[in-house]
């Protein structure tokens, strides 16, 4: 039997009133809390959503805080505390969690090759800084503690189940009664609806990933006396993912009508013998192919056949077949919070039969198919009330306690303990974590018991396996490994970043007359934003001004407002210095303005200390306002004269910009260019004076050679290639998937580089990856 996916979709829980927002929330986001409370309580909100403001003063999210979010995404607010640094609305509508880790990359990589990472930065609206990593980044973000290793997690219990669980039975609260009622139900009531099949990822006609799937052509009318067939498949792991190695079909009465071994089309990497019972010796003489069993199964099934399986979606995907009438016993026997009972447990608890015994090599597909069929027949014969009276939840909890060899403990207290790991959270809902990585970079996580690890030889193989495996698991971590910058190159890259940002935030203006009013000119250029320095350039025939702004937005606003105007009868030109680092400046500015995190953000200059209060007194003028970010002087702590406003949408931001730069408010402003975490990072960099005119920043010889020969392992090329590949993979994820892209940063004896995180929920944002 294929390793069971114990839990997937969570059942919606009653929405509770939100707790108070953390004290670290900056600016006017405190004033937005009331609107968030109202929004979450509205019944029409059906999709999981992330807030657009992070509750961090410096935009840095620690590894422990990242672990908070991952645990909350798994269990929700009824079991674990909410994350302290962000808002995740309607967590119960999340379908999956996928974490991509780009080991060896850092925030410096992302902004040094900002244009090359186009697919990722356009797809993810939420970005944050990460501290330099420890020795095991993955162990940190999933919360693995030194004392809590793989062997400490509960193991599957062997031996008899208790005949009766000592727990109070409240039938009305039993999820089976809540779904089916107390009376017996017919076969048609147990069938999965098309919507349920879509939710639980069954192959369906018309779906892009099912284009080559074969239809069983069972299109007869279904009645309560339609024939049932138990189906179970075994798989192995090949170079193209999981492929079928055995199929068993059992008819009513227990007769096995089909039991075939199947030779996969692609190279076998792992026979998964502990689950499938299949070995190389068994499969070597087999000549039957997938198309053969497809043809045989199609011929065997009558028009009104109902297939019964346990996690049947996995079996149908392995068969590459579509069947419209299905009963899934992992969903028929409903469990709390969307969890699923294991087939082995149901066989013992319901039928009193032992299957999948430890002394046997792997599972017996025919035995499993027969048990699956008997479970469906038992449900139809005795009805939901009889099953609810068995108190399966209490039996399962008793089994887990015995397996762990512990005294009964309060599960809620365990989960709410700050040292609880993501693996324990997944284990509590019967789920496993998928971990895909290169064999040489596996680390501690790979040996954890509740983790399905697939080790690959290359990043390319990791990517291929991810396409196949991610849909089969509710929580996945996919790790790609890249060569980190050498210390010399790191220092060079940092230097270039500082120089480049200084130069694109600098403008030259002129020519001016020799009798110009210098005080008026300084006042004019200071009206667009904070100025770091302003000097006269006297090398030219007529004087020019060189103005270095503190923020990029101020420089861009000065260019847009003053280039080409008349000053004392002379037409002046306002432009950036032209160097090799600013040659693509226009493209960079356009891309920054189109960055998904900047959509809905505006920059304003000329704000007073009472600006926030004035803003909040006019809530109807600024609908959709989510945050006011008021930077402070790092030396004296005073509020600066510029700010950033963040809105829910671009349209709301544009309306506010028109009002605030109008005659009533008289502020200068434009759409934002620097994401908040980037602005905080750049402010923290040591100042870099402009390099003298004519000084060239020459790449090291090996980098020049790499660029000339377009070597694929060059950082620039790698950023472009893998940004696009991961972007395509993200595009293929199912809606409602919480996705994180983590560049962990680097740490060595030569110094440390901060990491960067990008996150979003698939189809949450209006902007999607374009041009793929």
């Amino acid at each position: 039997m294929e390793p069971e996916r114990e839990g997937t979709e969570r059942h919606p829980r009653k929405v509770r009133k939100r707790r108070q927002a953390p004290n670290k929330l900056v600016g006017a986001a405190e004033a937005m809390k009331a609107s968030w409370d109202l929004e979450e309580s509205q019944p029409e909100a059906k999709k999981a959503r992330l807030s657009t403001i992070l509750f961090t003063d410096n935009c840095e999210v620690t590894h422990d805080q990242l672990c908070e979010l991952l645990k909350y995404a798994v269990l929700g607010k009824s079991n674990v505390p909410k994350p302290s640094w962000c808002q995740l609305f309607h967590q119960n509508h999340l379908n999956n969690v996928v974490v991509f880790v780009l080991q060896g990359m850092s925030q410096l990589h992302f902004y040094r090759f900002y244009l090359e990472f186009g697919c990722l930065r356009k797809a993810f609206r939420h970005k944050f800084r990460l501290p330099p990593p420890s020795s095991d980044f993955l162990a940190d973000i999933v919360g693995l503690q030194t004392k809590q290793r793989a062997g400490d997690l509960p193991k599957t219990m062997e031996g008899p189940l208790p005949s009766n669980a000592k727990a109070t039975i409240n039938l009305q609260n039993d999820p089976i009664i809540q779904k089916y009622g107390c009376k017996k139900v017919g076969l048609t009531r147990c069938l999965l609806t098309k919507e349920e099949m879509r939710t639980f990822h069954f192959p369906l006609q018309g779906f892009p990933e099912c284009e080559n799937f074969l239809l069983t052509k069972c299109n007869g009318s279904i009645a309560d006396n339609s024939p049932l067939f138990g189906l179970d498949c075994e798989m192995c792991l090949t170079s193209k993912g999981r492929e079928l190695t055995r199929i068993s079909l059992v008819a009513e009465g227990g007769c096995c009508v089909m039991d075939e071994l199947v030779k996969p089309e692609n190279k076998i990497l792992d026979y998964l013998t502990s689950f499938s019972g299949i070995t190389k010796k068994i499969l070597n003489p087999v000549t039957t192919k997938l198309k053969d069993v497809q043809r045989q199964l199609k011929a065997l099934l009558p028009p009104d056949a109902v297939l019964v399986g346990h996690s049947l979606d996995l079996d149908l995907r392995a068969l590459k077949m579509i069947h419209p009438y299905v009963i899934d016993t992992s969903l028929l026997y409903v469990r709390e919070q969307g969890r699923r009972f294991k087939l082995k447990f149901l066989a013992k608890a319901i039928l009193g039969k032992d299957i999948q015994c430890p002394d046997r090599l792997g599972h017996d597909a025919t035995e499993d198919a027969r048990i699956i069929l008997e479970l469906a027949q038992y449900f139809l014969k005795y009805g939901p009330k009889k099953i609810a009276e068995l108190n399966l939840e209490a039996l399962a909890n008793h089994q887990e306690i015995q397996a762990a060899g512990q005294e009964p403990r309060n599960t809620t207290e365990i989960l709410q303990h700050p040292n609880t790991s993501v693996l324990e959270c997944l284990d509590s809902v019967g789920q496993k974590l998928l971990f895909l990585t290169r064999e040489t970079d596996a680390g501690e996580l790979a040996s954890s018991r509740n983790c399905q690890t697939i080790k690959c030889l290359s990043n390319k193989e990791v990517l291929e396996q991810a396409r196949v495996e991610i849909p089969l698991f509710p929580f996945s971590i996919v790790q790609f490994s890249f060569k980190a910058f050498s210390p010399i190159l790191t220092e060079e890259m940092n230097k270039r970043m500082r120089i480049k940002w200084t130069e694109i935030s600098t403008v030259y203006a002129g020519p001016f007359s020799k009798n110009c009013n210098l005080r008026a000119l300084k006042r004019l250029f200071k009206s667009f934003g904070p100025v770091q320095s302003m000097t006269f350039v006297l090398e030219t025939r007529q004087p020019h001004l060189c103005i270095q702004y503190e923020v990029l937005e101020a420089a861009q606003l000065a260019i847009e407002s003053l280039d080409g105007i008349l000053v004392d009868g002379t037409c002046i030109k306002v432009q950036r210095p032209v160097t090799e680092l600013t040659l693509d400046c226009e493209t960079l500015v356009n891309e920054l303005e189109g960055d998904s995190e900047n959509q809905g953000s505006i920059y304003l200059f000329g704000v007073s200390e009472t600006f926030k209060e004035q803003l909040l007194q006019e809530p109807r003028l600024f609908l959709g306002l989510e945050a006011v970010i008021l930077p402070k002087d790092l030396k004296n702590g005073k509020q600066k004269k510029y700010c950033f406003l963040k809105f829910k949408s671009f349209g709301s931001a544009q309306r506010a910009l028109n009002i605030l730069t109008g005659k009533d408010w008289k502020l200068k402003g434009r759409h934002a260019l620097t994401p908040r975490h980037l602005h905080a990072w750049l402010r923290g960099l040591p100042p870099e004076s402009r390099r003298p005119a004519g000084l060239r920043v020459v790449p090291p010889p090996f980098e020049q050679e790499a660029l000339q020969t377009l070597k694929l392992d060059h950082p620039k090329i790698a950023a472009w290639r893998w940004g696009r590949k991961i972007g395509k993979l993200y595009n293929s994820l199912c809606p409602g998937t919480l996705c994180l892209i983590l560049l962990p940063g680097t740490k060595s004896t030569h110094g440390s580089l901060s990491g960067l995180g990008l996150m979003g929920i698939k189809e949450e944002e209006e902007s999607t990856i374009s041009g793929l």
Side-chain angles (χ1 to χ4, degrees), residues 199-348:
T199 299
F200 294 108
H201 313 299
F202 276 76
L204 291 171
Q205 193 172 4
F207 275 35
E209 69 271 20
C210 303
E211 291 175 354
N212 299 321
F213 281 39
L214 185 69
L215 276 70
T216 57
K217 297 296 183 184
C218 292
N219 51 11
S221 62
I222 296 296
D224 286 341
N225 61 352
S226 292
L228 296 174
F229 293 86
L231 175 70
D232 187 59
C233 294
E234 304 299 344
M235 293 80 149
C236 69
L237 189 63
T238 73
S239 57
K240 294 296 183 182
R242 293 176 189 261
E243 291 192 47
L244 185 71
T245 53
R246 184 181 177 186
I247 174 175
S248 290
L249 188 72
V250 175
E252 289 178 282
C255 176
C256 181
V257 295
M258 182 178 180
D259 186 17
E260 293 285 349
L261 292 170
V262 184
K263 177 85 83 174
E265 296 289 342
N266 299 289
K267 181 183 177 182
I268 298 175
L269 304 177
D270 189 341
Y271 286 86
L272 302 177
T273 306
S274 60
F275 295 105
S276 67
I278 304 295
T279 63
K280 183 177 181 179
K281 184 178 179 180
I282 292 173
L283 214 54
N284 262 346
V286 176
T287 57
T288 305
K289 296 289 187 178
L290 177 63
K291 62 182 179 181
D292 300 321
V293 297
Q294 286 178 331
R295 186 166 52 248
Q296 189 178 346
L297 183 62
K298 187 176 177 180
L300 272 173
L301 295 176
D304 61 342
V306 175
L307 288 180
V308 187
H310 196 84
S311 295
L312 183 58
D313 56 309
L314 302 180
D315 296 328
L316 288 174
R317 286 187 178 276
L319 281 165
K320 293 189 176 180
M321 296 187 78
I322 297 173
H323 187 77
Y325 313 125
V326 297
I327 294 174
D328 193 321
T329 51
S330 72
L331 301 171
L332 184 67
Y333 288 84
V334 189
R335 195 177 182 186
E336 293 176 355
Q337 297 180 343
R339 294 179 287 174
R340 302 192 192 189
F341 294 112
K342 294 180 180 179
L343 181 62
K344 180 184 174 85
F345 168 79
L346 289 175
K348 185 69 176 177

